Amino acid sequence: MKIALGAAKGLAFLHEEAERPVIYRDFKTSNILLDAEYNAKLSDFGLAKDGPEGDNTHVSTRVMGTHGYAAPEYVMTGHLTSKSDIYSFGVVLLEMLTGRRSLDKNRPNREQSLVEWARPYLGEGRRFYRLIDPHLEGHFSVKGAQKAAQLAYHCLSRNPKARPLMSEVVEALEPLLHLKDMATSSYFFQAMQAEGGGANPYPDARNVVRAQAALARNEHPIRSLSRSSFHTTSRRILMANNHERL
């Protein structure tokens, strides 16, 4: 959540605090850099555009960006708004929750698009557990994960006007950093584990965490989130850097 909050603050500054509004246009995991303390910074502003001003509601531009992150209305019409960035943020937040790529052609057809696979589970009480990366093994805040899933649901709304402002996203994320209600103590999480036979689908998950701790000690002051991102439990998410450009 610390990484998500830092990235959200960067987008909020561009949208609402900069002297002239800026639309990032290519927000994705590989454009988030992390320092030694996992503070997030936005990088690669090559596709950024000045936002609409005055009575203009959007900027008309050639469709550019990255498959799996671009807002559908932008892809269809070329009409660019700050709500296009918010959709992309929702995709990245979903990647953090699930440990999956935005597009993964190695998965079954119905699961290749992360957004379409996850949408039925978002904002639906107990079902949200099916979204959570099993590598976490219950080491996450139940309330935090629920709130993050609900936030992703709103960011990914098919109606751009229904998506929140980035300042509202920041406001929603800030209280999630210090929640302590671990899923390992949750009745519903335990029931779901029992329903699945109690087997750990990723028996080497602890080794991944240990490897991450070792990586954290290396002297690499800047990281790309797509190469070595961490959940609050310090687990690395492996993301592809070679998504096709639109």
Side-chain angles (χ1 to χ4, degrees), residues 124-160:
E124 285 213 14
R126 303 174 190 177
R127 297 187 73 195
F128 92 97
Y129 277 122
R130 301 185 183 276
L131 288 172
I132 303 302
D133 186 349
H135 281 102
L136 295 177
E137 298 184 306
H139 297 290
F140 60 90
S141 163
V142 176
K143 290 181 180 178
Q146 285 178 324
K147 294 291 185 181
Q150 290 170 0
L151 180 60
Y153 176 77
H154 291 299
C155 290
L156 295 169
S157 173
R158 292 185 175 92
N159 178 7

